[in-house]
Amino acid sequence: METFQRLESEVRGYCRSWPVVFDKALGSHVYDENGKPYLDFFAGAGSLNYGHNDPELKSKLIDYLTDDKIVHSLDAYSASKREFLKTFEEIILKPRGLDYKVQFPGPAGNNAVEAALKLARKITGRQTIINFTNGFHGMTLGALAVTGNSMKRGGAGVPLDHVATMPFDNYLDGQTPDFLWLRTLLEDSGSGLDAPAAVIVETIQGEGGINTASAEWLRGLADLCKEYGILLIADDIQMGCGRTGNFFSFEEAGIVPDIVTLSKSISGYGLPMALTLFKREHDVWGPGEHNGTFRGFNPAMVTGAETLRRFWSDDSFAEATKAKGELIAGRLQEIAAEHPETGAHVRGRGMARGLAFEQEGLADSVSAEAFERGLLLETSGPEDEVIKLLPPLTATEEELITGLDIIADSARAAVKQSQAS
Amino acid sequence: METFQRLESEVRGYCRSWPVVFDKALGSHVYDENGKPYLDFFAGAGSLNYGHNDPELKSKLIDYLTDDKIVHSLDAYSASKREFLKTFEEIILKPRGLDYKVQFPGPAGNNAVEAALKLARKITGRQTIINFTNGFHGMTLGALAVTGNSMKRGGAGVPLDHVATMPFDNYLDGQTPDFLWLRTLLEDSGSGLDAPAAVIVETIQGEGGINTASAEWLRGLADLCKEYGILLIADDIQMGCGRTGNFFSFEEAGIVPDIVTLSKSISGYGLPMALTLFKREHDVWGPGEHNGTFRGFNPAMVTGAETLRRFWSDDSFAEATKAKGELIAGRLQEIAAEHPETGAHVRGRGMARGLAFEQEGLADSVSAEAFERGLLLETSGPEDEVIKLLPPLTATEEELITGLDIIADSARAAVKQSQAS
Amino acid sequence: METFQRLESEVRGYCRSWPVVFDKALGSHVYDENGKPYLDFFAGAGSLNYGHNDPELKSKLIDYLTDDKIVHSLDAYSASKREFLKTFEEIILKPRGLDYKVQFPGPAGNNAVEAALKLARKITGRQTIINFTNGFHGMTLGALAVTGNSMKRGGAGVPLDHVATMPFDNYLDGQTPDFLWLRTLLEDSGSGLDAPAAVIVETIQGEGGINTASAEWLRGLADLCKEYGILLIADDIQMGCGRTGNFFSFEEAGIVPDIVTLSKSISGYGLPMALTLFKREHDVWGPGEHNGTFRGFNPAMVTGAETLRRFWSDDSFAEATKAKGELIAGRLQEIAAEHPETGAHVRGRGMARGLAFEQEGLADSVSAEAFERGLLLETSGPEDEVIKLLPPLTATEEELITGLDIIADSARAAVKQSQAS
Amino acid sequence: METFQRLESEVRGYCRSWPVVFDKALGSHVYDENGKPYLDFFAGAGSLNYGHNDPELKSKLIDYLTDDKIVHSLDAYSASKREFLKTFEEIILKPRGLDYKVQFPGPAGNNAVEAALKLARKITGRQTIINFTNGFHGMTLGALAVTGNSMKRGGAGVPLDHVATMPFDNYLDGQTPDFLWLRTLLEDSGSGLDAPAAVIVETIQGEGGINTASAEWLRGLADLCKEYGILLIADDIQMGCGRTGNFFSFEEAGIVPDIVTLSKSISGYGLPMALTLFKREHDVWGPGEHNGTFRGFNPAMVTGAETLRRFWSDDSFAEATKAKGELIAGRLQEIAAEHPETGAHVRGRGMARGLAFEQEGLADSVSAEAFERGLLLETSGPEDEVIKLLPPLTATEEELITGLDIIADSARAAVKQSQAS
């Protein structure tokens, strides 16, 4: 561990909560270098929806590498990219009636967001992007401008402009009508809101604290965008790829965003990959107007295509996810009910769930206790007040129950400790 | 190919010059799906310095995957990251006397640049970055602001601020003393140049047209930075990892930048990976102040460490690169001399070489002719006036000569055709 | 009139509503070059609170000029500036317990606003200014950034940054608690609101449509600012100098802003002059850090000092203004009540009053009818939906009643016409 | 003086060099309150080209006020505005073949600059303005962005964007060809210079240190602008109104700027007034798109029109100014020659002249010595290294010689003192 302290920048973060050296991983578990297993309810912050090192995906990946298929091809045509595109069209786009074109904007989610923002500004000739309180979209300058977290914004070192922030669903007092503020601004030529190019929204804000937008709110937002000629960007980087049940997290609301960003679990195997999707009529890019070295990382396309075939050819995976989500929610409700004095309450949808505590510091303690008990669990929210459950969607019921039991124990221990001190 | 036209965004670029579907790749060659080989003098725009699918690296990579070692770990500690860090320290940093700390800023070069710019601004509390004409640093908003290309800048859709552009080495008339303009601005409190946080520079501008900074100019720049308390960022994403001979392209000049960005060939196998290096005293990051999902992609660290061991344990690889570079330069000189009426001249250092034509459109024609003859070759420069040679550093002399002969033929054909029309 | 069309820019505005050439002016009347009088309920948009060409001020001004006293002195010391400062201290600051320092930022209101914004940013080291919907603060780039009107913002030609707009009092649905949105953003480190340097507010938004902030709302705002370490800037350019009764329009609310801007009627005679006032501890300016050619226009200081002595040595003027304000409000209520179908309602405080119509275009028609009947009357509000009454504070009751009768007639005529069409 | 210290902001500047209280002024002299006269070689920083309180102008002004002519009329039509416009057309525009339209942008020079920048951006749809090293254009945010002085820029508290600074004439080493840098940037699509809306230039930089652009350089600039479709803005606020001889300072170069700003001496009497002039085809303003309270200050138009009639009806005044300018230059040359060890040299054109010292601090000492001897004299330049002579154009030869003798004495005293210390 001394190696890391000596050589790795102080910017490192997760390792501070989990001071062990990981070595192996399989399914819902990771193992430290002493072979100690940890049940993983973190799943690479949503990048490992299908668990670690899925054997069938692994096999495809190793075959690809073994055969000396091309690994790195920028945006030249490759057989594996064609296969990915066709599979994505057949399994994802067509059944959902989505006539999207696909951009490979680079390997990271922030590349997908940056491309989405550029495209929205190019299409509309406008500059302002509407984002939401506690949104998280990435660390590059364009993506950071639409991100709420003040510590991360402070890292920019320059003003973060061309953005107008609106209240996310349920952000205010529960009385204020949805979009009252935004609609009033849009209707008033003296409001000071410059005509917006686009709205960027997560259906569930993962980093923001598992804040969940209702289907009704999302539809209201989509309607508002249509009414005022504003493009709707759904950032589905963390909540897409089945995290909430359906492949896209916005399907339940029945909306069709103009632009969609995907990354994290799109390769299915934790390989860097990202996509920006947009309606065909929005494909106003010039050749090479946005580029990037790793936009053609073929192994990720290979596992990505296989993932789609295996998990998304029918509804069964989505249904299983929803059922597991209910299981998790039910158990979390019980845990919350055990500790009413902590102001605990459950958030989320599908297998993106949070247990929020009003008592300061408690979520961090629960997470630390859980780690002691062999469970990896992140906190999120502006004050890290929420324990955030993103187990692999492939986790078995037994694994889920095991993890939830650990959380229950950890909550008891953390509450007890906080009362003692 | 119809699949790509139907489904992939119009932003796609390289595929337009090379309208075939690539499938396999080995060493210095890629193969289309009909098995037709192409000699690769493009090397993933510098991401494949060690060629495609190097057998030893492949073996390490497949072993790692086969053993279910952890693939995706964000910035948790992993055994492969420790191994990479130690190897990087032993083989790269220590022998060069560099006391750098290492940040894993995300998988792409632009992530490394964005982190570098943020850090420089945080350290200095200033905002202005000095960049150079025809610099290229990436497509995310922060990196794009320091990039010169007007088409790509136009894609931003918002103003690109907090940057002051200076002439790169040899940019002006060859008479103006180096840094006359910059130094005068810095010395004059009425110049309008707000105190700069940092200078960002490529030692050779790859996208900009293989514009080569002399060692003297680089030393002058480093001295100027020191004199005025400006941080020096060397963007070694394309020219580092041995492209010019030494591991870092700035070694020849004997300078020690404050911050260094690496990506492209750092994994050795075309896997997405990037590093931001900085002097120990500059490590002022707070935990998590910059983050990103794919900053802990372990397979890239595995091949990256192996690459360092294999190629960089002694000077032989660097020396071989320099020798091959001379071979390339010599042959290019002959080609240039064959066509004096085209204003052809040779640029570059090590195995980053360019043949620039003053005659408009000629470089594109040469590149197209070369493709017809089975050679992949990019053009660069503001008017695509330069054919850019970035062969794998591992290319054999025979491969180099074969490729250079194709270039010679292509040049003859292109010149003939241009005279005919 | 042909001269203006040939030589004056199309940017000219008021002349389009009042297509006559004015020549003389006295008290509450202006006269066109044919000698036709117009009763002036516009008063130079609040610059002529003491009417046109007040004889005693005129006499002082002519004496000053006749004696060859210095006219233009930049920010050198002058006897008339000293006299103004002492008078301002004695008559305005001391009785109100205000320990303000005085800056002469230039001749125009926008200079006062620009200086206020700079100072707030310098004091706090922050950049974001909170402004309010439909605020108006001037046309220079800094002042325009905090102005709401979209047509005027569009004139900037560059993005207007570093501003976060909040709802003015009563802007939303009348249900949303005051400052709910702002307070929530301030309390939430994930809200995306960068720490604000200052709030800039008008107590009554003149250009915005005579939108009136309640004393309670203003106190709430002042408290919020104190709580979060945000500076409070009261822009009293149009509503200060007695327009609402008291000298400062914020006195009624019992608040003490950190920074106050004054202009328009501060000279008392329509001469260009502006002040930026701020608490003594906020005087962090360096010598010459903000300057301007006409910041020392002595004749304006002479009439300004005399104005203070004549009108502000005791409360009688303020009381008279309030009484006249009630007279105006009462008569406007009657007019509104006459036309319930137009959605007419009365706004304002003191002698800043508005009659707002929900019926589109009606306010403009009323204003045009009034001009026909010899009354000058402006409209304001984002849709020009409000007729705005800013008569001289020195207008007699008879003049006010005459003007209000014209408005009543004009409203009847305009309503009738609108029903006919 | 205690009054100022107690009540006036620390931002005050000139008063620190001249710690007396001025009271009266006539012609080339101002008088402190003890009646002590000072010969004024400062002339309100160029606002008093016709001296203080010219009797004929005064008479016109007092008549106007006495007759209760309208003082403040915003942009309504007034008889005095018509008279000013016609006079300006007859005496200034027509004889010079200038088909300009006139905007009254507000009372201050910065208003004229802000309007010019807005208009240039509106016409071109571009944002970047090219300015020059050591340019000075005002303190409002838009004008400050194109101003070079770092102390004043620092006062902004926000980044000053959308500007690219180029070297003024003779700024570099005297070897670099004019416009080499700008032309190269414009011709190179990879240069990073976003297409500029306009260039803003002073023909002589007053605040910047009496840096004088040659006629040839100005013509080169105008040609470059034409070639690249960039608008040319001449900021003639300080150097116009006859300061260099001709009415406009750019006449000598034979260029016709697209946009011209005037202020300072345009009223002839030190009254706040400013104009933005532009070619007829550039009048794309919408009504009210730029406004301001004091844009219709009629007394300034009255004295302004009279000034034009008196001084500009024929060439005699311009010729006299040029002759006096030569007288000044000659005497300054002699003073410089007396002190070769100080690196003294003479700058300027017409009656805008500077004596620059390479010896640090000397200019300030000379200015202080001159004040002791009854001469008001400003310093300018980034290091206040230049004594700046802007005597009234109406100063007599005797007055000029008296002042120059004082300067000669002051220089001797200052040099002696500096050698002693």
Side-chain angles (χ1 to χ4, degrees), chain C residues 6 13 33 75 89 152 288, chain D residues 6 13 75 82 89 152 288:
Chain C
R6 187 175 73 251
E33 51 185 351
D75 68 351
E89 183 185 34
K152 298 198 191 295
Chain D
R6 187 173 75 252
D75 67 352
R82 186 178 51 203
E89 182 186 34
K152 299 198 191 296

Side-chain angles (χ1 to χ4, degrees), chain B residues 185-418:
Chain B
L185 290 171
L186 288 168
E187 280 175 2
D188 176 6
S189 72
S191 70
L193 177 65
D194 301 316
V199 163
I200 186 163
V201 68
E202 302 155 281
T203 62
I204 301 177
Q205 299 181 321
E207 299 303 307
I210 309 290
N211 308 315
T212 311
S214 69
E216 190 191 359
W217 187 86
L218 288 169
R219 278 191 295 270
L221 180 62
D223 290 348
L224 197 69
C225 285
K226 198 165 294 172
E227 192 177 341
Y228 288 95
I230 303 167
L231 297 174
L232 179 60
I233 305 172
D235 182 342
D236 231 10
I237 288 173
Q238 187 164 88
M239 292 302 151
C241 299
R243 173 54 57 187
T244 65
N246 296 320
F247 184 80
F248 294 111
S249 72
F250 52 78
E251 290 180 51
E252 195 176 321
I255 62 171
V256 180
D258 293 282
I259 304 178
V260 179
T261 57
L262 288 176
S263 182
K264 292 202 183 265
S265 279
I266 186 66
S267 82
Y269 205 77
L271 309 183
M273 181 171 174
L275 300 178
T276 305
L277 314 174
F278 32 83
K279 291 181 179 168
R280 185 167 299 277
E281 66 265 30
H282 292 328
D283 190 11
V284 301
W285 284 116
E289 201 172 358
H290 178 97
N291 64 17
T293 293
F294 293 113
R295 81 208 115 133
F297 178 46
N298 292 283
M301 299 183 197
V302 171
T303 56
E306 183 62 15
T307 298
L308 298 178
R309 281 187 292 261
R310 271 194 63 210
F311 295 99
W312 295 102
S313 293
D314 61 33
D315 284 351
S316 55
F317 187 70
E319 294 312 314
T321 297
K322 291 175 192 172
K324 291 177 193 170
E326 292 309 310
L327 181 158
I328 297 167
R331 190 70 187 93
L332 288 179
Q333 296 287 9
E334 292 169 24
I335 298 171
E338 238 185 277
H339 307 287
E341 74 286 6
T342 65
H345 52 281
V346 181
R347 297 176 177 174
R349 189 155 61 86
M351 287 178 75
R353 297 284 174 171
L355 182 60
F357 294 98
E358 288 173 15
Q359 186 181 324
E360 203 179 328
L362 200 55
D364 273 335
S365 303
V366 174
S367 171
E369 293 285 340
F371 177 72
E372 292 300 314
R373 288 162 176 79
L375 178 70
L376 301 182
L377 201 60
E378 191 184 15
T379 58
S380 74
E383 307 296 330
D384 286 328
E385 74 278 20
V386 183
I387 59 168
K388 179 181 168 191
L389 286 74
L390 298 180
L393 310 181
T394 52
T396 62
E397 265 193 40
E398 291 68 33
E399 288 169 340
L400 293 176
I401 289 167
T402 301
L404 288 158
D405 285 347
I406 292 177
I407 293 172
D409 286 349
S410 301
R412 276 177 218 119
V415 167
K416 199 168 166 186
Q417 199 174 19
S418 82

